[in-house]
Amino acid sequence: MRSGISFTRRAVFALAVAGLAACAQITPVADPLPSWKEGAAKDAIVQFVRKTTDAASPQFVPPAERVATFDQDGTLWVEQPMYAQVMFAFDRVKEVVKAQPALAAEEPFKTVLSGDRAAIGRLGEADVIKLVVASQSGLTIEAFRELAGNWATTARHPKYQRPYTELAYLPMLEVLKYLRYNGYRTVIVTGGGQEFVRGFAEAVYGVPPEQVVGTMLKVDYAVRDGTTTMTNAPAVFFVNDKAGKPVGINMVIGRRPQAAFGNSDGDQQMLEWTTGGTGARLGMLVLHDDAAREFAYGPATGLPDSKVGTFTQALYDEARSKGWTVISVRNDWKRVFAFD
Amino acid sequence: MRSGISFTRRAVFALAVAGLAACAQITPVADPLPSWKEGAAKDAIVQFVRKTTDAASPQFVPPAERVATFDQDGTLWVEQPMYAQVMFAFDRVKEVVKAQPALAAEEPFKTVLSGDRAAIGRLGEADVIKLVVASQSGLTIEAFRELAGNWATTARHPKYQRPYTELAYLPMLEVLKYLRYNGYRTVIVTGGGQEFVRGFAEAVYGVPPEQVVGTMLKVDYAVRDGTTTMTNAPAVFFVNDKAGKPVGINMVIGRRPQAAFGNSDGDQQMLEWTTGGTGARLGMLVLHDDAAREFAYGPATGLPDSKVGTFTQALYDEARSKGWTVISVRNDWKRVFAFD
């Protein structure tokens, strides 16, 4: 019952498939991670990908289930001397106070506007959260993402005097691409704001909005003058940090990741949950031990602690006992940034 | 500087691409929506797909941005005489009370266990929510999804005496496939439980967990005896209904959909937000007006109202004024179910 056309179709299709298969076989195997030094960290990544993507492997993972999660601050880009979103909130204070003048007399806005660096340095977590919430509330989702994207392109980092878009770690950008090339969805799972990171995630990391899980403000939907709007309200809805990270991943992705990358106590539960699954799992932690090229901080470095991104000794010990791989910026990365 | 191998690769690749292109051109154009009668509803879908996927169209939408959202109950499958999840919760009451015997003396559990149909029929929304929450709290995400999946395969619908997995509307299954074939992600956006629907969405609709947005319970992450667990807590975290639907879509997908399908007041804001965007947008509402093959209900049918899935006259008028297409089960669908 097959017509000549069907036969032709099948023949052409078979030829096309054979052609593509031939292509795949003769592609030269280039190093997918050129900014990584040879060693345990690079090996762990490459072996994980081989084990989970080779159809003949007992630990093969079907493409639909391939999910790798990445903390952002300190894992994908620089988090010192402060989280980018806090820098952004500081930069936004003048605009916020212009829109709501009464805030100028209130803390922590008053302190930030005073420019008194010592006093600003003493602001606590609750103050910082207030600033972050104020920096986005009242704005529509679209307007806020645009603002965040513009900020990442234009604000200058105090140490590097470069925009944040250039401060993504080159070795981690290679990991993102390598995993995606191998059928993994690369999901950013950040304690930072979901909409803040969505503002630049596609441009900086190639990660689309549906693969960004973050801390969420309450969002209000309304129709105003016939126009539908989604607006950030001044209230935190979900904190995507520590035990919130597995919960956030489940909410947005609905699957236990196969691999997770972090750098602090905030990522501990994400790594536990990821590596607690069956089959091949990969847990990795970036240790910032390179003061020359980047920053050196956290008890596990043997160097002075810092207020952000705490890689405690306890986390280091857990990594050892659970077989998570610690990535040393100093020893495992040939280059840290694309501009190096 | 190109080697012979590179030349061969490129030649083979060109051949493969040409072969695939030839395939695409000579594929016979089969009707992608065979269960739909010719008419305005079917036309609206086909024209929308053409306008948004033809690269030469001024309303072309890049594949990454192609998102279509679907309410579940009453849009993708039967919601009468009660939502599936309420049926499930009723079926679970005995198990729930076995686990927590004190509940047997409490309402609404007492009434449900009494079997008094009249009294059960008088239960209010708050009672039903209590039953739904009790039917899943305390269970891990994995265990609950499995339970939901098994229930959908085994429970019998009172009218059809068939499992719910057979009660998906065949014309809507065709729309899901047709849209996916054309590069759309088909996202279920349900007032029902996100984890409940994830339990069968892949099997029934071909929709993976990351494309199910629903009402969420609070979820607790914990490590118990060295095992990582994610457990439903007895508290509603997010209600994905009415104005919650655009908010839920933004949370999980982060994009305004190009197309949205619903059937009730609960879908109004999702359709408003979807069709409020620029370019080609599609809003469709299923009107249940076929008592013989399915059910007939809602004021817009001119038939008696029902407690579930209210398609009010006001929604009908809004659909007319905004150019949303109303799908009449009686007039637009040749077949309602695969078993018809």
Side-chain angles (χ1 to χ4, degrees):
Chain A
M1 289 299 144
R2 290 273 177 192
S3 69
I5 286 177
S6 274
F7 174 77
T8 306
R9 272 180 66 208
R10 283 196 288 173
V12 171
F13 185 70
L15 190 65
V17 168
L20 286 169
C23 277
Q25 279 170 353
I26 56 178
T27 299
V29 182
D31 182 353
L33 302 172
S35 300
W36 291 72
K37 293 186 196 162
E38 299 306 320
K42 181 174 178 174
D43 272 0
I45 301 167
V46 173
Q47 291 310 319
F48 167 79
V49 168
R50 285 199 186 140
K51 275 187 285 192
T52 58
T53 60
D54 175 355
S57 158
Q59 295 177 310
F60 176 76
V61 176
E65 293 170 25
R66 290 181 199 161
V67 172
T69 55
F70 296 80
D71 168 58
Q72 185 193 223
D73 296 303
T75 300
L76 291 179
W77 77 0
V78 174
E79 66 177 351
Q80 291 286 357
M82 278 187 294
Y83 295 127
Q85 192 162 6
V86 177
M87 302 285 242
F88 167 79
F90 273 64
D91 288 350
R92 280 271 301 155
V93 164
K94 280 183 194 165
E95 295 299 314
V96 168
V97 169
K98 203 184 285 175
Q100 302 174 67
L103 291 179
E106 279 181 33
E107 289 299 354
F109 306 94
K110 199 175 157 183
T111 294
V112 175
L113 290 170
S114 75
D116 177 344
R117 290 191 167 219
I120 292 170
R122 286 191 299 270
L123 291 175
E125 199 183 321
D127 292 320
V128 169
I129 289 171
K130 261 191 204 170
L131 287 166
V132 167
V133 169
S135 72
Q136 55 187 305
S137 66
L139 293 168
T140 64
I141 297 292
E142 291 91 337
F144 179 65
R145 283 190 200 170
E146 201 182 327
L147 212 58
N150 288 341
W151 180 87
T153 321
T154 54
R156 299 271 148 172
H157 184 279
K159 172 168 175 169
Y160 299 102
Q161 290 302 317
R162 289 175 179 272
Y164 271 80
T165 46
E166 295 183 25
L167 299 184
Y169 305 128
L170 184 61
M172 294 307 290
L173 293 177
E174 291 170 0
V175 171
L176 290 170
K177 275 188 199 157
Y178 177 49
L179 286 171
R180 285 198 293 262
Y181 180 82
N182 282 284
Y184 275 88
R185 267 163 296 153
T186 53
V187 179
I188 297 178
V189 180
T190 175
Q194 185 177 36
E195 297 303 341
F196 181 70
V197 177
R198 280 173 171 172
F200 48 77
E202 183 98 53
V204 177
Y205 307 113
V207 172
E210 62 270 30
Q211 286 162 21
V212 176
V213 187
T215 290
M216 303 169 193
L217 289 201
K218 185 173 174 298
V219 171
D220 292 328
Y221 167 85
V223 181
R224 288 184 194 141
D225 304 327
T227 303
T228 53
T229 59
M230 299 268 279
T231 311
N232 288 312
V236 175
F237 175 67
F238 176 70
V239 178
N240 193 56
D241 200 25
K242 300 187 188 282
K245 287 202 172 187
V247 174
I249 296 167
N250 186 61
M251 206 186 292
V252 177
I253 306 296
R255 304 179 188 269
R256 191 196 294 248
Q258 294 295 131
F261 295 75
N263 79 305
S264 82
D265 291 12
D267 306 314
Q268 183 193 351
Q269 291 84 353
M270 174 169 79
L271 265 80
E272 283 175 357
W273 190 49
T274 299
T275 60
T278 52
R281 304 279 165 168
L282 179 67
M284 298 193 88
L285 287 165
V286 178
L287 181 69
H288 296 271
D289 54 2
D290 191 333
R293 295 189 299 174
E294 202 230 359
F295 293 89
Y297 56 99
T301 55
L303 295 160
D305 197 357
S306 78
K307 280 173 86 174
V308 296
T310 318
F311 193 147
T312 59
Q313 190 60 43
L315 183 63
Y316 193 86
D317 295 343
E318 186 176 0
R320 293 226 146 188
S321 76
K322 294 203 167 137
W324 303 342
T325 305
V326 174
I327 299 164
S328 158
V329 171
R330 192 176 50 205
N331 301 323
D332 289 317
W333 289 354
K334 277 188 209 164
R335 291 167 70 190
V336 178
F337 303 106
F339 59 78
D340 272 348
Chain B
M1 291 300 142
R2 291 273 177 192
S3 70
I5 286 178
S6 275
F7 174 77
T8 306
R9 271 180 67 208
R10 282 197 288 173
V12 171
F13 185 70
L15 189 66
V17 168
L20 287 169
C23 277
Q25 280 171 355
I26 56 178
T27 300
V29 182
D31 182 353
L33 302 172
S35 300
W36 291 72
K37 292 185 196 163
E38 298 307 320
K42 180 174 178 174
D43 271 0
I45 300 166
V46 173
Q47 290 310 318
F48 167 79
V49 168
R50 284 196 187 144
K51 276 186 286 194
T52 58
T53 60
D54 175 355
S57 158
Q59 296 176 309
F60 176 76
V61 176
E65 293 170 23
R66 292 182 199 159
V67 172
T69 54
F70 295 80
D71 167 60
Q72 186 192 224
D73 296 303
T75 300
L76 292 179
W77 77 0
V78 174
E79 65 179 351
Q80 292 284 358
M82 278 187 294
Y83 297 127
Q85 192 162 6
V86 177
M87 303 285 242
F88 167 79
F90 273 64
D91 287 351
R92 280 271 301 156
V93 164
K94 280 183 194 164
E95 296 299 315
V96 168
V97 170
K98 203 184 285 175
Q100 302 175 68
L103 292 178
E106 279 180 35
E107 289 299 354
F109 306 94
K110 197 175 160 184
T111 294
V112 175
L113 290 169
S114 75
D116 177 345
R117 289 191 169 220
I120 292 169
R122 285 191 301 270
L123 291 175
E125 200 182 319
D127 292 320
V128 169
I129 290 172
K130 260 191 204 171
L131 287 166
V132 167
V133 169
S135 72
Q136 53 188 305
S137 67
L139 293 167
T140 66
I141 297 292
E142 291 91 338
F144 179 65
R145 284 190 199 169
E146 200 182 329
L147 211 58
N150 287 342
W151 179 87
T153 322
T154 54
R156 300 272 148 173
H157 184 279
K159 173 168 174 169
Y160 299 101
Q161 291 300 317
R162 288 174 180 273
Y164 271 81
T165 46
E166 294 183 25
L167 299 184
Y169 305 128
L170 184 61
M172 294 306 290
L173 294 176
E174 292 169 0
V175 171
L176 290 170
K177 274 188 201 158
Y178 177 49
L179 286 171
R180 285 198 293 261
Y181 180 83
N182 283 285
Y184 275 88
R185 267 162 297 153
T186 54
V187 179
I188 297 178
V189 181
T190 175
Q194 185 177 36
E195 298 303 341
F196 180 71
V197 176
R198 281 174 171 171
F200 48 76
E202 184 98 54
V204 176
Y205 306 114
V207 172
E210 62 270 30
Q211 287 162 20
V212 176
V213 187
T215 290
M216 304 169 192
L217 289 201
K218 185 173 175 298
V219 171
D220 292 327
Y221 167 84
V223 181
R224 287 183 194 141
D225 305 326
T227 302
T228 55
T229 58
M230 300 268 279
T231 311
N232 287 312
V236 175
F237 175 67
F238 175 70
V239 177
N240 192 56
D241 201 25
K242 301 187 187 283
K245 287 202 171 185
V247 175
I249 295 167
N250 185 62
M251 206 186 295
V252 178
I253 306 296
R255 303 180 189 269
R256 191 196 291 250
Q258 294 295 131
F261 296 74
N263 80 307
S264 83
D265 290 12
D267 307 314
Q268 183 193 350
Q269 290 85 351
M270 174 169 78
L271 266 79
E272 283 175 358
W273 189 50
T274 299
T275 61
T278 53
R281 304 279 165 168
L282 180 66
M284 299 194 86
L285 287 165
V286 178
L287 181 69
H288 295 271
D289 55 1
D290 191 332
R293 296 189 298 174
E294 201 231 358
F295 292 90
Y297 56 99
T301 55
L303 295 160
D305 198 357
S306 77
K307 280 172 84 173
V308 295
T310 318
F311 194 147
T312 59
Q313 190 59 43
L315 183 63
Y316 193 86
D317 296 343
E318 186 176 0
R320 293 225 147 190
S321 75
K322 295 204 167 138
W324 303 342
T325 305
V326 174
I327 299 163
S328 158
V329 171
R330 193 177 48 207
N331 301 323
D332 289 316
W333 289 354
K334 277 188 209 164
R335 292 167 70 189
V336 177
F337 303 106
F339 59 77
D340 271 348

